[in-house]
């Protein structure tokens, strides 16, 4: 028999299978708040399309109109011929909505974080990152070759002790946090982090992936309009219902990124259809206060019902609601139970979360009805293995 070509791959895959952590792709057809998988239509509680804009008729139409007018591809990177008027228009709108001087579009949130951090930090930089920060932020920190220290989640005393110990030892310090954490749905205390950054002369970068569209004034997140945030990163893939990302910052920072950020310079810019959708979504998001209120109200109701039924939802304070199950087996079995009852809610297990952090991660959309939520609560309360 032929010896295996890639023993390391086979071994890694075997390990995942043995731990029952092997991941597979399944095709999903989404339609509003429903998802069809293996021929079954389920209520989708695992999408980040929080405002339902991915299927909004106006947003679709704007995307089609951009494609008709400008074509399907931008044809080049931004510094060559890939800057369309449509890119610049959205950048200006974003800056004005977020209260920054400028904004710069990137091709995805993951790609932005992995290239922004190496642009801001080098081997003489100390990077202080919340322990629960998204993988893209972690990878960006690794790529920068800076010295990475992770402070305990939302523990600003721990952050401050790291800052005070490092005084004078590094050329530069960069603090990185999410504003709303993607797996726990809790918030960072942005004003206190700003104060710390200012006290210790550190740069501050905030990832607003899950707050954007949903929280803050006009849905612009938790750091918009605040002095002392050097870079706000946001994505178009979640509440914007499109794809792509941006950095909002000063004019000088934007010039620096255009000149020194490889992930901006060496890639084809986002196509017109994607930007057209983001543009229309931004217009809509700014005036969706009533929807944001509905979403917050429903999330509060759902959390209260789940807590009453004995489930922990950690410190969730938004549309992302972790429902802790303890063991991995429980998470898988509860997810299957929900699916039997017509609900799609994915089990999140290690290595995405810590060893005892297995959970069902619920994300609410303003398009879920009270009836959908009642069905969800019923399904949770009829699960007997707690
Ligand atoms: C989803 C996410 C990203 C990545 O954004 P994409 O546009 O999906 O690549 C980055 N940061 C956080 C916190 C996220 O949740």
């Amino acid at each position: 028999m032929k010896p295996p070509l890639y023993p390391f791959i086979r071994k890694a895959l075997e390990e995942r299978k043995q731990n029952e952590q092997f991941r597979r792709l399944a095709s999903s057809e989404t339609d509003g708040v429903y998802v069809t998988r293996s021929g079954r239509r389920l209520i989708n509680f695992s999408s980040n399309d929080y405002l339902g804009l991915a299927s909004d008729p106006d947003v679709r139409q704007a995307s089609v109109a951009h494609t008709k007018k400008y074509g399907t591809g931008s044809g080049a990177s931004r510094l060559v011929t890939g800057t369309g008027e449509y890119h610049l228009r959205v950048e200006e709108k974003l800056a004005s909505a977020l209260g920054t001087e400028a904004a710069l579009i990137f091709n995805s949130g993951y790609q932005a974080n992995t290239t922004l951090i190496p642009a801001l930090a080098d081997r003489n930089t100390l990077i202080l990152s919340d322990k629960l920060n998204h993988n893209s932020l972690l990878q960006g920190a690794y790529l920068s070759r800076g010295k990475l220290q992770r402070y305990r989640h939302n523990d600003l005393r721990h952050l401050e002790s790291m800052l005070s110990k490092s005084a004078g030892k590094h050329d530069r310090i960069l603090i990185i946090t999410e504003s709303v954490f993607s797996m726990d749905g809790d918030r960072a205390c942005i004003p206190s982090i700003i104060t710390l950054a200012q006290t210790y002369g550190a740069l501050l970068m905030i990832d607003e992936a899950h707050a954007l569209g949903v929280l803050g004034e006009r849905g612009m997140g938790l750091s918009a309009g605040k002095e002392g945030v050097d870079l706000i990163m946001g994505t178009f893939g979640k509440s914007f219902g499109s794809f792509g990302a941006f950095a909002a910052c000063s004019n000088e920072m934007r010039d620096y990124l255009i000149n020194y950020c490889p992930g901006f310079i060496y890639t084809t810019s986002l196509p017109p259809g994607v930007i057209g959708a983001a543009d229309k979504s931004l217009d809509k998001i700014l005036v969706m206060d009533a929807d944001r209120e509905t979403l917050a109200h429903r999330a509060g109701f759902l959390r209260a019902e789940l807590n009453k039924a004995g489930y922990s939802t950690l410190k969730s304070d938004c549309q992302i609601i972790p429902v802790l199950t303890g063991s991995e087996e429980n998470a898988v079995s509860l997810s299957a139970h929900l699916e039997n009852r017509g609900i799609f809610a994915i089990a999140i297990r290690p290595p995405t979360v810590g060893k005892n952090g297995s959970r069902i991660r619920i994300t609410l959309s303003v398009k879920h009805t009270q009836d959908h939520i009642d069905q969800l609560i019923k399904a949770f309360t009829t699960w007997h293995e707690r």
Side-chain angles (χ1 to χ4, degrees):
M1 214 173 72
K2 222 171 116 186
L5 262 179
Y6 306 115
F8 76 101
I9 290 179
R10 195 163 288 189
K11 183 164 167 279
L13 291 177
E14 274 314 315
E15 202 173 295
R16 279 282 161 92
K17 283 179 185 160
Q18 253 158 29
N19 297 336
E20 292 181 36
Q21 290 180 342
F22 187 71
R23 293 159 155 160
R24 291 182 173 77
L25 295 174
S27 85
S28 302
E29 196 181 309
T30 57
D31 133 42
V33 287
Y34 294 95
V35 59
T36 303
R37 284 165 71 97
S38 318
R40 281 192 69 212
R41 192 160 183 260
L42 307 164
I43 313 166
N44 188 358
F45 282 102
S46 291
S47 165
N48 300 319
D49 178 23
Y50 304 125
L51 300 173
L53 291 173
S55 54
D56 182 272
D58 300 334
V59 175
R60 269 185 217 225
Q61 206 200 343
S63 177
V64 171
H66 267 62
T67 301
K68 281 194 174 145
K69 184 165 177 192
Y70 302 104
T72 50
S74 68
S77 65
R78 288 288 297 275
L79 282 163
V80 183
T81 59
T83 295
E85 54 166 327
Y86 49 91
H87 293 111
L88 298 174
R89 185 167 58 236
V90 173
E91 287 174 347
E92 270 170 34
K93 273 194 200 176
L94 280 167
S96 138
L98 289 156
T100 55
E101 284 178 1
L104 190 64
I105 292 174
F106 285 79
N107 286 7
S108 80
Y110 197 98
Q111 189 258 9
N113 283 339
T114 55
T115 195
L116 283 167
I117 298 169
L120 295 176
D122 61 18
R123 62 175 74 244
N124 299 315
T125 305
L126 174 66
I127 301 173
L128 301 176
S129 174
D130 189 288
K131 194 93 184 245
L132 289 194
N133 275 348
H134 191 259
N135 181 270
S136 54
L137 295 165
L138 195 59
Q139 296 297 332
Y142 292 152
L143 280 169
S144 76
R145 298 187 230 181
K147 181 167 191 275
L148 172 65
Q149 287 182 3
R150 298 167 79 195
Y151 57 93
R152 287 189 291 273
H153 175 52
N154 265 344
D155 184 343
L156 300 193
R157 281 200 202 162
H158 195 206
L159 171 60
E160 175 150 32
S161 87
M162 287 176 170
L163 282 163
S164 65
K165 276 183 206 144
S166 70
K169 289 191 191 142
H170 304 270
D171 291 358
R172 203 183 305 153
I173 301 173
L174 171 63
I175 300 173
I176 307 174
T177 185
E178 294 179 31
S179 58
V180 163
F181 288 86
S182 63
M183 288 298 142
D184 283 25
D186 56 349
R187 306 181 190 197
C189 182
I190 306 288
S192 308
I193 298 176
I194 291 176
T195 305
L196 283 177
Q198 288 178 331
T199 307
Y200 291 91
L203 286 167
L204 176 57
M205 170 175 176
I206 298 182
D207 180 333
E208 293 265 28
H210 294 279
L212 212 70
V214 177
L215 299 177
E217 215 175 300
R218 297 194 297 163
M220 286 298 103
L222 301 182
S223 41
K226 290 195 168 55
E227 284 288 322
V229 181
D230 298 285
L231 195 149
I232 298 172
M233 178 278 188
T235 75
F236 298 143
K238 288 163 181 155
S239 67
F240 276 70
S242 180
F243 181 65
F246 64 86
C249 53
S250 65
N251 283 321
E252 195 176 24
M253 177 76 84
R254 183 177 187 269
D255 285 344
Y256 174 73
L257 296 174
I258 291 170
N259 281 275
Y260 288 98
C261 197
F264 175 81
I265 300 168
Y266 300 104
T267 186
T268 303
S269 62
L270 286 180
V274 162
I275 299 293
D279 188 358
K280 179 56 82 180
S281 287
L282 177 57
D283 293 346
K284 296 205 133 198
I285 283 170
L286 293 173
V287 295
M288 289 179 84
D289 282 346
D291 294 274
R292 281 185 278 277
E293 243 169 70
T294 304
L295 191 56
H297 181 79
R298 296 230 176 98
F301 171 76
L302 175 58
R303 269 195 303 273
E305 291 297 314
L306 290 168
N307 296 157
K308 246 191 268 170
Y311 291 100
S312 163
T313 53
L314 296 175
K315 290 184 179 159
S316 160
D317 188 19
C318 67
Q319 77 284 2
I320 300 170
I321 304 176
V323 189
L324 261 67
T325 58
S327 71
E328 283 187 63
E329 299 77 58
N330 277 352
V332 174
S333 128
L334 179 49
S335 179
H337 169 80
L338 295 173
E339 191 163 332
N340 283 335
R341 308 198 63 141
I343 286 160
F344 184 74
I346 203 155
I348 307 274
R349 302 184 284 153
T352 305
V353 289
K355 199 159 165 280
N356 298 313
S358 290
R359 66 194 62 184
I360 303 292
R361 177 176 178 267
I362 301 289
T363 49
L364 285 186
S365 155
V366 73
K367 299 287 177 195
H368 288 121
T369 61
Q370 186 62 42
D371 188 49
H372 291 141
I373 293 170
D374 290 342
Q375 281 186 56
L376 179 68
I377 293 164
K378 187 128 188 256
F380 270 108
T381 50
T382 52
W383 185 61
H384 296 297
E385 291 170 51
R386 269 175 294 150

